[in-house]
């Protein structure tokens, strides 16, 4: 039985809060553009990259990886099990990448020059490559999203084309390729600074570490949003999907663990783990945000209760944010210097996250995103 | 300097003591660097490890005020180990001179030399007279073994300065003393040379003059004077202070180091007679014998046509000092405080910050009826009445501020430490209403002259009859704009009538080629005989800029001009043996080629002492031409405080007693201000538990003098924003002071806050068995600017009212303070 | 031929003429500083301070040692900042200086992250912010003049010449005075080599020189990744297409997704 959400109210206490944050975002934006970065943020010559780069851009891109992961699973590997969540995943990714671009618009010193990399080329620059991939991938996401949108406005013929395999398969291939390039390149950004990034994180494997952890983040994000959405819209999500995602996340985490620990073993850096400070941070990151969720997810693969995966998936999400922030922290650490985000910085980041939530809810209600979500019988349905 | 800046690069050993040359003469330090590149050894001796010490091969610390023990120890070392240049001292110094048999020294007389009058704190210098023979000539002992000859007396006097004693008084570790003595005295060899670079760290003491004397003795013993890379080299503390001393802005001298006349010298003859030395010494050039030519020419320069044979060349117009009257810096403010002065020109200076005992100075200013400050910026002196602790309503002084312009906004010469007068040009016009000092003086002169002409006054002629030929005169007879070239030419001097001198014809109005052609009959004028030769018919010698140098020792004889007569290295006839052959051929300064001297301008063109066959040349003259005896003074019979330097503790010191004697802790010939019954602000603390730390004051590269100019340059203030006190880590621990915190520094005379710099560059001294701490502050800050007082005030708030026995230069380099956390 | 500067710290007297000359030439303003017992002022490089002298006090054999270290952009031979910048706003010129173009810059500040020496600084308090750093007086060098700091230095601490000659001079000084110098030319190989080289009589790490900078050109870490993109794209697209085709056989066309 198909379920549509046209009758679910958009507004709710959560949405009210989100809207407050969006208003704050607007004020913060005016402040930032009028008074400049120095006044609006706590960034400095010592800490040039802060909350916006750490969370909005680095973590945000990783968390939006669900888009290509699910698209790849459904259209390249042809796993129909995940089709019901494909559109939601694309929606999340699209909203996420738009927010990443908006965040960059806020963060760079000359926002009106954001388009420069399109015309002024520096092929030796990782960031140049990231910029191009992000632009191209956002276009791909828009094209992937075109189908549901066209359906909602009744453009049946075009919608059919945009939702057919001849379009979606190449788009999925493009998505995976572009994502492989830029997800790993975000890690490659830090290859240039072996003297600044602690060697429990720095390795020539850094691009692969970033790519693999992005997949884990993307899968975890899809799990998380599906669970929340199901609650909000009174759906039951197919536990098979959640278990499949859990298994996928767990395997990805395992690969990640092996890659990182293997590299550290081979380089003879094991002793660094016990060096205090950075070593402790590393252990924290690996134990609480990789090993524990991995084990929980492997264990929960068999259970029928979808909720059991919520906590470990949240840990994975937090873990990816933690990992990106750790790297930023380590490369910019200077004695006697501390950084915490300013009110404006937080208003913008929280406001943008809130915007995603609001847009997501509206989209789910207004657009055919969740049409394939099944309900299933259970004692308390 | 006896030598010059570039010459430093010729030295084998460089001693920088009583100076922080890298800090305060960074550009000239290039030559020290170049000397080191050639293998020279740099020795830095300083209470504190400075920027100079950072480049030194050997650094030794010593307690402020103990330079005489240090150098005395070196004299002891030289004599004990026979390291002196025997031929040199025999030919060129008074080492063989015999002193009268009743002469006694501090070792015998418990701290003083013969002839001391304790009540008046003065010496009768006749007690130091040389033994004379029947002809009235000084007896000389060529063997230099007579116990009363200068060399033996020197040895006896400094036998008390053995290394253990020296180490105990200076706090310098014995191994460093030995290392330095060994290195430096190795230049006693004929072809090795050492130079001494010193500055206020030596002069600003009650024994300042004797500090220099001690080093001069060392350099003479080692035969380093007159040679390239040698000499006794004072690093002047201001770009043109050499010029100001040459033109004799001090009270007791007239331009060219002539003497200010005293009231008892009733006429020019009496005056000339008093100051023109005579000598019976054979072959002594006795150049000061020409004194009357210079004094007469000076008067002609000032008064022109109004100075004639008939009116004693206007001698009566010169202001006279009473016999014994001293109007040096400290005296000025001492009298000012006692309301004995009604007016004061503080010209191009900031006494409220630069003078010792700043609180006394600032208070003294409040007693004036009027004061004029000529300066580029407002400063602590011009605004003294707004300063901390001042009540403007109660101060009756009328203050005038005349803005003057900076050195690049006017044309003229600047004389550097090496006696080089270098002509400078105007780069831009003065800002606003500021004017060159010359124009300000010019305007003042004509105003005063007009007042005298209209209102008569008590003695107008000295002003109204001045020649003042410094620019075109308008139809009121006023010069409206000074032409610096006319001043320079007058300083050089003119022939005032057609005349013949030394067989040469000269036309009226032409410039005198050198001081050898000045006369005492009114035919010549010269504003400063030393500078006669600087601006001649050949042109402005000071403006020459030729980089050509064939000397091989960096003389650059055609780059600008130096006095006297462009002689770059003074006393250079002591750089050769009796035959005119250089002691140090690789760095020869002059050389006799059989007919004349080749190289630098010789210190007198007379032939060498001996003919090539060994017989004495009757036409020769001895090498030290400014001394009546013709030789350099190892025994110095003219100083106020003794013929040999003797250690006396600074006025304020940590010791209750002089380690060398029981009776005279301090210099017995210094004027003691705190004993004046009228003195209120001259408090002194000796070995006082309240003020237990030795303190010195110094400068920083980033700021200039009291900082009037540099505190107004944001880039400079950014680098050095506020006053600091450097203290050792040991003292910081003792007082629980951490690096960077504000502390209070107090002396018996006043106190100020400073930021503590805790450093390993100060270390406590072991003095006579006790631990003595030393600290130091810069004196480049003042309350007036920045306006919020955030830079602090001048370190001179702490310094005492006491000066050297000969020069009265204040002892700002050694006094006692306390340092407390705030 | 690229120009280089040899900074012989055994000659520096810490007069800071270079610091002021640089400010003057580049029209940088002075800022209000505090003083916390350290003569280094300003404490760090900034958009208003392209070079400063760091005062470092150490000790050797119980005797104080005072060193003066001139910090400024090192103008690396293979600059990380230049490879990092997405729009090529930082470029290495053929005379040696690494120069900045405001017109291209987008203000992403990746150069500040990428520089192993933390040199580029930013103008945070304006809406037209530049990245600021020493420019090696590129416009002066172009006209055959000395950089402002080199011209001002009184003690010949700064030796400016062609790169090869500078290296030869550094090597000869090390050989001539083996006791005086630490036997290492800093900047000869660090980060693949820099155009500003240093000689010292005190251990470089004690003087605050960044440690751990590998002796390789830093852009070499990323260029292989970027230059292989065409191949990677081709490979991945081929692989994924094959998988999609293989897995897609038998799948219904026009499946409603």
């Amino acid at each position: 039985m198909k379920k549509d959400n046209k009758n679910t109210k958009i507004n709710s206490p959560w949405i009210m809060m989100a809207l407050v944050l969006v208003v704050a975002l607007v004020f913060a934006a005016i402040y930032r553009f009028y008074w400049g970065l120095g006044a609006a943020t706590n960034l400095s010559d010592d800490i040039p990259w802060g909350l916006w780069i750490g969370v909005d851009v680095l973590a945000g891109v990783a968390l939006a990886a669900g888009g290509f992961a699910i698209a790849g699973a459904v259209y390249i590997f042809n796993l129909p099990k995940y089709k019901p969540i494909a559109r939601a995943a694309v929606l999340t990714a699209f909203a996420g990448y738009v927010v990443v671009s908006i965040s960059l618009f806020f963060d760079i010193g000359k926002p009106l020059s954001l388009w420069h990399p399109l015309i002024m080329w520096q092929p030796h620059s990782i960031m140049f490559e990231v910029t191009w991939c992000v632009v191209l991938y956002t276009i791909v996401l828009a094209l992937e999203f075109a189908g549901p949108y066209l359906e909602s406005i009744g453009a049946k013929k075009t919608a059919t084309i945009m939702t057919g395999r001849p379009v979606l398969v190449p788009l999925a291939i493009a998505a995976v390729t572009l994502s492989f390039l830029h997800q790993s390149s975000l890690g490659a950004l830090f290859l240039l600074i072996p003297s600044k990034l602690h060697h429990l994180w720095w390795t020539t494997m850094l691009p692969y570490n970033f790519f693999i952890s992005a997949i884990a983040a993307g899968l975890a994000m899809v799990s998380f949003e599906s669970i929340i959405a199901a609650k909000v819209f009174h759906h039951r999500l197919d536990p098979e999907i959640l278990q499949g995602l859990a298994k996928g996340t767990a395997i990805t985490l395992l690969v990640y663990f092996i890659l990182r620990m293997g590299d550290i073993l081979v380089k003879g850096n094991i002793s660094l783990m016990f060096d205090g400070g950075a070593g402790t941070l590393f252990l924290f990151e690996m134990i609480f945000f990789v090993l524990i969720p991995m084990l929980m997810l492997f264990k929960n693969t068999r259970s029928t209760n979808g909720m059991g995966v919520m906590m470990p998936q949240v840990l994975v999400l937090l873990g990816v944010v933690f990992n990106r922030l750790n790297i930023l922290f380590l490369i910019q650490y200077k004695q006697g210097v501390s950084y915490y985000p300013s009110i404006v910085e937080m208003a913008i980041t929280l406001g943008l996250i809130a915007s995603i939530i609001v847009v997501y809810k509206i989209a789910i209600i207004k657009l055919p995103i969740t049409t394939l979500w099944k309900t299933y019988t259970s004692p308390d349905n | 300097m006896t030598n010059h800046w570039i010459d430093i690069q010729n030295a084998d050993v460089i001693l920088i003591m009583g100076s922080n040359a890298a800090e305060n003469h960074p550009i000239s330090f290039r030559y020290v660097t170049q000397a080191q590149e050639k293998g020279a050894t740099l020795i830095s001796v300083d209470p504190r490890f400075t920027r100079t010490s950072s480049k030194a091969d050997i650094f030794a610390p010593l307690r402020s005020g103990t330079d005489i023990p240090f150098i005395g120890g070196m004299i002891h070392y030289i004599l004990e180990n026979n390291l002196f240049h025997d031929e040199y001292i025999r030919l060129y110094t008074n080492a063989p001179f015999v002193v009268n048999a009743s002469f006694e020294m501090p070792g015998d007389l418990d701290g003083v030399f013969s002839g001391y009058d304790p009540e008046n704190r003065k010496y009768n210098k006749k007690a130091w007279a040389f033994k004379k023979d029947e002809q009235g000539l000084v007896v000389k002992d060529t063997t230099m073994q007579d116990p009363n000859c200068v060399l033996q007396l020197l040895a006896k006097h400094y036998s008390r300065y053995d290394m253990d004693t020296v180490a105990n008084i200076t706090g310098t570790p014995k191994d460093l003393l030995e290392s330095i003595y060994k290195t430096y005295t190795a230049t006693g060899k004929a072809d090795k040379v050492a130079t001494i670079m010193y500055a206020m760290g030596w002069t600003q003491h009650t024994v300042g003059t004797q500090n220099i004397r001690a080093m001069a003795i060392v350099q003479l013993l080692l035969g380093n004077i007159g040679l390239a890379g040698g000499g006794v080299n004072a690093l002047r503390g201001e770009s043109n202070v050499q010029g100001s001393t040459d033109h004799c802005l001090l009270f007791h001298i007239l331009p060219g180091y002539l003497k200010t006349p005293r009231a008892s010298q009733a006429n020019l003859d009496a005056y000339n007679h008093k100051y023109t030395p005579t000598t019976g010494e054979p072959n002594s050039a006795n150049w000061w014998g020409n004194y009357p030519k210079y004094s007469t020419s000076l008067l002609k320069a000032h008064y022109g046509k109004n100075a004639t044979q008939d009116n004693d060349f206007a001698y009566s117009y010169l202001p006279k000092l009473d016999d014994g009257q001293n109007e040096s810096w400290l005296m000025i403010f001492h009298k000012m405080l006692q309301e004995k002065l009604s007016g004061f020109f503080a010209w191009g200076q900031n006494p409220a910050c630069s003078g010792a005992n700043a609180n006394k100075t600032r208070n003294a200013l409040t007693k004036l009826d009027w004061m004029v400050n000529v300066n580029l910026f407002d400063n602590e002196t011009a605004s003294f009445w707004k300063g901390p602790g001042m009540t403007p309503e109660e101060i009756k002084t009328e203050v005038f501020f005349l803005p003057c312009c900076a050195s690049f906004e006017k044309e003229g010469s600047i004389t550097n430490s090496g006696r080089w007068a270098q002509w400078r040009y105007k780069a831009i016009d003065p800002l606003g209403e500021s004017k060159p000092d010359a124009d300000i003086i010019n305007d003042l002169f004509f105003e005063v002259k007009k007042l005298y002409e209209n209102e008569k006054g008590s003695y107008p002629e000295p002003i109204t009859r001045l020649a003042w030929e410094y620019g075109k005169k308008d139809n009121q007879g006023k010069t409206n704009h000074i032409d610096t070239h006319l001043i320079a030419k007058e300083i050089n001097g003119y022939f005032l009538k057609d005349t013949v001198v030394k067989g040469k014809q000269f036309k009226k109005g032409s410039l005198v080629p050198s001081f050898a052609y000045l006369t005492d009959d009114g035919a010549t004028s010269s504003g400063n005989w030393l500078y006669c030769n600087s601006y001649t018919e050949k042109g402005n010698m000071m403006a020459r800029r030729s980089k050509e140098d064939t000397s091989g020792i960096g003389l650059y004889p055609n780059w600008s001009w130096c006095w006297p007569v462009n002689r770059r290295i003074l006393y250079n006839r002591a750089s050769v043996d009796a035959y005119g052959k250089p002691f140090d051929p690789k760095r020869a300064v002059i050389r006799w080629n059989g007919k004349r001297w080749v190289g630098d301008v010789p210190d007198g063109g007379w032939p060498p002492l001996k003919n090539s066959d060994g017989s004495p040349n009757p036409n020769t003259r001895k090498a030290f031409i400014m001394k009546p005896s013709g030789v350099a003074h190892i025994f110095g019979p003219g100083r106020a405080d003794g013929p040999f330097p003797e250690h006396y503790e600074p006025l304020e010191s940590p010791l209750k007693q002089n380690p060398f004697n029981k009776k005279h802790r301090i210099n017995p010939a210094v004027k003691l201000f705190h004993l004046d019954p009228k003195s209120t602000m001259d408090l002194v603390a000796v070995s006082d538990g309240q003020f237990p730390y030795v303190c010195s004051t110094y400068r920083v590269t980033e700021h200039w003098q009291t900082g009037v100019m540099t505190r107004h340059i944001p880039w400079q203030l950014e680098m050095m924003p506020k006053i600091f006190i450097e203290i050792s880590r040991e003292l910081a621990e003792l007082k629980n002071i951490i690096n960077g915190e504000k502390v209070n520094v107090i002396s018996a005379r006043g106190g100020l806050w400073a930021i503590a710099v805790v450093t390993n560059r100060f270390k406590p001294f072991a003095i006579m068995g006790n631990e003595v701490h030393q600290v130091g502050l810069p004196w480049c800050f003042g309350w007036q600017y920045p306006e919020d007082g955030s830079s602090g005030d001048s370190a001179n708030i702490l310094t005492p009212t006491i000066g050297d026995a000969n020069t009265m230069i204040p002892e700002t380099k050694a006094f006692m303070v306390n340092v407390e956390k705030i | 031929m690229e120009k280089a500067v040899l900074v012989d710290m055994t000659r520096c007297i810490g007069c800071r003429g270079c610091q002021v000359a640089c400010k003057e030439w580049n029209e940088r303003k002075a800022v209000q500083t505090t003083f916390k017992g350290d003569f280094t002022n300003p404490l760090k490089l900034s958009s208003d301070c392209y070079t400063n002298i760091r005062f470092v006090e150490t000790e050797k054999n119980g005797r104080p040692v005072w060193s003066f270290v001139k910090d400024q952009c090192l103008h690396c031979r293979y600059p990380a900042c230049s490879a990092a910048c997405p729009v090529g706003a930082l470029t290495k010129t053929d005379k040696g200086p690494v120069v900045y173009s405001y017109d291209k810059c987008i203000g992403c500040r990746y150069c500040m992250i990428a520089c192993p020496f933390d040199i580029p600084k930013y103008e945070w308090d304006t809406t037209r912010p530049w990245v600021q750093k020493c420019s090696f007086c590129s416009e002066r060098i172009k006209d055959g003049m000395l950089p402002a700091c080199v011209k001002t230095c009184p003690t010949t601490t700064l030796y400016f010449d062609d790169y090869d000659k500078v290296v030869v001079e550094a090597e000869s000084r090390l050989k001539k005075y083996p006791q005086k110098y630490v036997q290492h030319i800093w900047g000869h190989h660090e980060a693949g080599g820099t155009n500003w080289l240093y000689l010292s009589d005190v251990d470089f790490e004690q003087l605050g020189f960044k440690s751990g900078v590998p002796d390789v050109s830093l852009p070499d870490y990323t260029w292989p990744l970027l230059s292989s993109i065409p191949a990677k794209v081709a490979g991945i697209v081929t692989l994924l297409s094959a998988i999609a085709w293989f897995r897609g056989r038998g799948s219904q066309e026009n499946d409603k997704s």
Side-chain angles (χ1 to χ4, degrees), chain B residues 634-678:
Chain B
I634 288 182
F635 185 90
R639 295 299 109 228
D641 42 359
F644 287 138
E646 164 78 348
H647 173 66
Y648 298 104
E649 286 284 313
L651 176 67
E652 288 193 341
S653 93
L655 300 180
K656 278 198 175 65
Q657 199 177 61
N658 188 334
F660 281 106
N661 73 75
K662 296 197 175 36
K663 250 172 118 189
H664 296 274
R665 189 181 65 86
I666 61 171
N667 188 325
V670 285
K671 178 181 168 62
L672 295 173
F673 287 85
H674 63 281
L675 295 183
D676 181 342
K678 297 209 205 77

Side-chain angles (χ1 to χ4, degrees), chain B residues 22-23 25-30 33-34 36-39 49-51 53-59 700-702 714-724 726 729 739-740 755-761 763 788 790, chain C residues 8-16 19-20 23-24 27-42 48-49 55 57-59 62-68 153-156 173 176-177 180-181 201:
Chain B
E23 184 96 38
H25 299 87
I27 296 175
S28 320
F29 203 81
R30 162 189 294 258
T33 308
Q34 283 184 355
Q36 285 183 290
E37 283 302 300
K38 290 200 234 168
F49 188 92
T50 64
R51 291 192 229 203
S53 316
S54 75
K55 297 286 148 295
D57 300 291
I58 309 174
F59 163 72
V700 293
T701 313
E702 294 79 5
W715 295 322
Q716 303 306 114
L717 205 59
E718 177 186 53
M719 290 193 287
M720 275 289 184
K722 50 185 74 175
I723 187 158
F724 58 86
E726 288 177 290
R729 293 188 183 156
N739 193 26
I755 304 290
V757 173
V758 178
T759 170
N760 65 352
R761 292 174 293 102
K763 286 198 164 58
D788 59 1
S790 56
Chain C
D8 187 339
M9 294 188 287
T10 67
R11 298 186 184 187
C12 180
I13 54 176
C15 75
R16 302 198 265 190
Q19 195 173 316
V20 176
K23 284 230 169 196
E24 197 177 357
E27 294 179 309
R28 300 290 89 207
K29 67 178 196 291
V31 298
Q32 173 117 79
T33 49
T34 59
F35 183 71
K36 286 279 195 271
D38 188 343
F39 291 114
T40 310
N41 233 333
D48 283 309
C49 182
F55 288 68
E57 291 180 11
T58 54
E59 201 151 297
R63 189 203 119 141
V65 178
W66 208 8
S67 309
F68 316 111
C153 177
T155 52
T156 69
R173 285 187 203 181
K176 194 169 171 199
Y177 301 109
K180 177 161 79 155
Y181 290 102
D201 52 353

Side-chain angles (χ1 to χ4, degrees), chain B residues 129-364:
Chain B
F130 291 114
K131 183 170 172 193
K132 299 247 170 62
D133 63 14
E134 311 81 49
Q135 276 96 46
L137 287 179
V138 172
V139 172
K140 300 170 193 74
D141 171 22
T142 42
T143 66
M144 298 197 289
Q145 294 302 314
D146 185 326
N148 285 317
C149 84
V150 164
L151 191 67
Q152 295 305 327
L153 286 173
L154 186 76
K156 181 175 172 201
H157 180 66
Y158 288 107
S159 64
R160 299 139 66 228
Y161 288 70
D162 59 278
M163 242 187 269
D164 286 311
T165 308
V166 170
N168 231 352
I169 299 175
T170 61
T172 310
K174 211 170 139 193
D175 61 323
L176 283 175
L177 281 175
E178 175 137 30
S179 160
I180 290 172
Y181 290 169
K182 190 155 174 229
T183 308
Y184 197 87
T185 59
T187 64
K189 290 202 175 49
D191 60 351
K192 288 266 178 265
V193 65
T195 186
I196 168 66
M197 295 165 69
Y198 74 91
M200 302 303 106
W202 265 4
T203 59
Q204 286 179 351
H205 288 278
T206 44
V207 293
T209 309
Q210 295 294 352
N211 283 338
I212 315 308
R213 279 273 304 134
M215 198 62 207
I217 291 173
V218 166
Q219 289 294 70
L220 287 169
L221 287 174
L222 297 175
N224 286 332
I225 298 204
L227 275 76
V232 175
N233 297 309
L235 312 187
R236 304 312 303 259
E238 205 266 351
S239 62
N240 199 16
V241 66
Q242 181 68 48
S244 83
T245 46
D246 292 341
H247 293 295
C248 300
L249 301 189
L250 297 175
F251 76 101
H252 65 301
I253 41 181
L254 295 178
Y257 301 101
L258 305 176
K259 303 277 187 274
T260 304
R262 303 265 165 183
S264 61
Q265 290 138 19
N267 53 47
L268 184 58
D269 270 342
Y271 166 76
N272 280 334
H273 181 78
K274 173 89 179 162
Y275 296 119
T276 306
T278 53
T279 179
E281 285 296 326
N283 299 323
S284 170
N286 188 23
W287 198 262
W288 275 118
N290 293 303
Y291 194 102
K293 300 176 187 170
Y294 308 144
S295 57
T296 310
S297 298
L298 179 71
L299 287 167
K300 287 298 286 181
H302 289 179
Y303 291 101
K305 292 195 284 286
N306 293 324
T308 64
Q309 199 85 289
D310 297 330
N311 71 355
D312 213 12
F313 291 110
Y315 173 77
S316 58
Y317 295 165
L318 282 178
K320 315 284 187 300
L321 290 167
D322 285 327
D323 291 13
Q325 183 182 10
N326 184 311
E327 297 302 352
S328 60
W329 178 277
L330 290 173
M331 296 302 298
I332 293 175
F333 293 98
H334 196 67
K335 290 191 175 167
M336 201 189 287
L337 186 65
Q338 293 169 19
E339 305 194 43
K340 294 195 183 143
L341 292 175
S342 50
F344 177 54
F345 279 90
W347 202 297
Q349 44 166 237
N350 184 13
C353 286
S354 61
N357 199 342
N359 282 332
K360 178 181 180 185
T361 308
R362 295 168 183 189
N363 263 286

